[in-house]
Amino acid sequence: MSKGRDVKSMNSFLKWGIGVIAMLQLVGCGSNSSTGSGKQINTTPPTVTAAALQGNLTYQDVLELGATIHNLMMTDDARQIWVGTNAGLYSSAGGGTWGSLSTDLEQYAIEGWFVDPDDPKQIFVGGIDGVLHSTDGGKKWTSVNKGLPEPANISSFVGNRQGDEVRLFAFVSGEGIYQSRDGAQSWSLWQPMDQEVFAMDFDPEQDRLYVAAQFSLLYNEEGQWKTEEIPGAQQIYSLAINRRTGTLAVATEKGIYEKIKGEWRLLDARSPEKLIVIASGGEDTKWVGIGESALIYKLEDNRWVKWNE
């Protein structure tokens, strides 16, 4: 997510952010995380698809159209940023322009998405209306909600490819986390949860799902939920796992924490403003994030700077 919002849009964004803080969390999945939802996982939005978009919008337009940004992701080549909003999925297209991935998605709130790294034309998106699947890079979409409640009311969505299997997770508010292991052809309740989930990310090295929930940072191991304690932090807004290094990071009221060799440490680099959403970067960018003002920042050379592509 990058800058310039009108008063109405900005107030909506800040109102959302305050709500997140009040509930002690986030992200899409996209998530990675709502601006803090969800955030995104072990996937690479294909550069070819993003580059093919018509850049007929400004970031201001995206903010006005989308009202709320739920999560973001940077492509591995660091050339594009994707953002999920209340009115579709958008990508930067170079030269300060942005484009909509699909006009068909503009009627949907996109809480999270997953692009299959083995087949970049295969994209899954999740939101309050359920899960949609595209096999042609976003031109056509099919509803894939077998086994999900109606309405699904998904507030966090992530995915991961494990060999021949595409594994997807969707948090359904009031019920728990649903899982699909067959490319969203069918869903089943994986883990009931009695608290809200605002962001999820999957660590393939540990085969572990991390969850920023209403009251704590959790991970699931052998069917049991365990709590991660972050020293000095009370509020978790978002979480993400770096696609290249496997490092877990969380956005908190104190700043960005990373988990290195089992220990949590606060990044020395301080962002210009509080970051509400964080996601894995690409190339020389370690992390990207969105601030309370809706500006997008990137962390390079241990320094947070505005992203202005």
Side-chain angles (χ1 to χ4, degrees):
M1 321 162 175
S2 171
K3 155 80 207 155
R5 226 170 205 187
D6 64 15
V7 173
K8 180 178 179 181
S9 297
M10 181 64 74
N11 286 344
S12 174
F13 188 91
L14 293 178
K15 181 179 179 181
W16 175 89
I18 292 169
V20 168
I21 293 172
M23 294 185 291
L24 294 181
Q25 173 274 279
L26 165 82
V27 147
C29 142
S31 152
N32 308 27
S33 14
S34 291
T35 285
S37 202
K39 287 355 189 184
Q40 201 44 31
I41 298 311
N42 305 317
T43 177
T44 305
T47 301
V48 173
T49 301
L53 293 177
Q54 295 298 314
N56 57 354
L57 301 171
T58 66
Y59 186 62
Q60 174 72 35
D61 294 331
V62 173
L63 295 176
E64 292 177 351
L65 291 168
T68 298
I69 295 178
H70 297 290
N71 56 44
L72 85 164
M73 175 177 276
M74 174 180 274
T75 55
D76 272 359
D77 60 10
R79 293 182 179 180
Q80 278 93 24
I81 293 282
W82 285 22
V83 296
T85 77
N86 271 354
L89 180 59
Y90 296 85
S91 169
S92 61
T97 63
W98 289 72
S100 173
L101 180 70
S102 169
T103 55
D104 291 342
L105 292 181
E106 292 175 13
Q107 59 183 310
Y108 295 99
I110 306 300
E111 298 284 350
W113 63 89
F114 174 71
V115 182
D116 186 349
D118 286 2
D119 179 9
K121 290 186 177 181
Q122 178 166 235
I123 306 172
F124 302 86
V125 300
I128 59 175
D129 296 302
V131 180
L132 297 172
H133 178 214
S134 175
T135 58
D136 57 9
K139 295 178 182 178
K140 297 180 181 178
W141 297 87
T142 302
S143 178
V144 283
N145 294 317
K146 182 180 178 182
L148 288 173
E150 295 183 11
N153 196 21
I154 294 170
S155 61
S156 189
F157 181 85
V158 298
N160 179 63
R161 173 170 280 283
Q162 298 174 311
D164 295 332
E165 179 182 86
V166 172
R167 191 177 182 188
L168 303 166
F169 298 93
F171 173 72
V172 176
S173 184
E175 294 205 23
I177 298 173
Y178 280 73
Q179 176 183 229
S180 172
R181 305 192 77 131
D182 57 8
Q185 296 306 303
S186 63
W187 294 85
S188 60
L189 183 61
W190 178 60
Q191 292 289 333
M193 292 203 73
D194 59 1
Q195 56 182 304
E196 287 299 304
V197 167
F198 307 105
M200 301 188 297
D201 210 342
F202 187 82
D203 184 343
E205 292 186 4
Q206 300 186 73
D207 192 31
R208 178 182 291 177
L209 182 71
Y210 283 93
V211 171
Q214 187 171 357
F215 303 114
S216 54
L217 175 63
L218 307 170
Y219 65 90
N220 192 277
E221 192 171 78
E222 298 180 352
Q224 299 295 318
W225 288 109
K226 299 184 179 181
T227 302
E228 281 273 2
E229 297 293 339
I230 303 176
Q234 300 296 320
Q235 300 167 345
I236 302 170
Y237 305 138
S238 177
L239 64 85
I241 294 172
N242 188 285
R243 296 190 299 270
R244 299 186 306 281
T245 66
T247 300
L248 172 64
V250 294
T252 76
E253 83 282 6
K254 298 292 186 180
I256 305 300
Y257 283 81
E258 289 182 332
K259 190 175 184 182
I260 307 293
K261 296 182 179 180
E263 299 292 330
W264 287 100
R265 67 176 184 86
L266 184 64
L267 286 183
D268 294 331
R270 305 297 289 178
S271 57
E273 61 175 306
K274 185 185 297 180
L275 298 180
I276 302 298
V277 178
I278 188 173
S280 178
E283 291 288 338
D284 295 330
T285 299
K286 189 173 186 180
W287 303 106
V288 290
I290 298 179
E292 291 179 304
S293 68
L295 281 168
I296 300 175
Y297 297 91
K298 61 181 180 178
L299 180 64
E300 290 184 355
D301 299 323
N302 202 34
R303 182 169 171 261
W304 288 99
V305 295
K306 280 192 289 187
W307 187 85
N308 294 313
E309 298 294 329

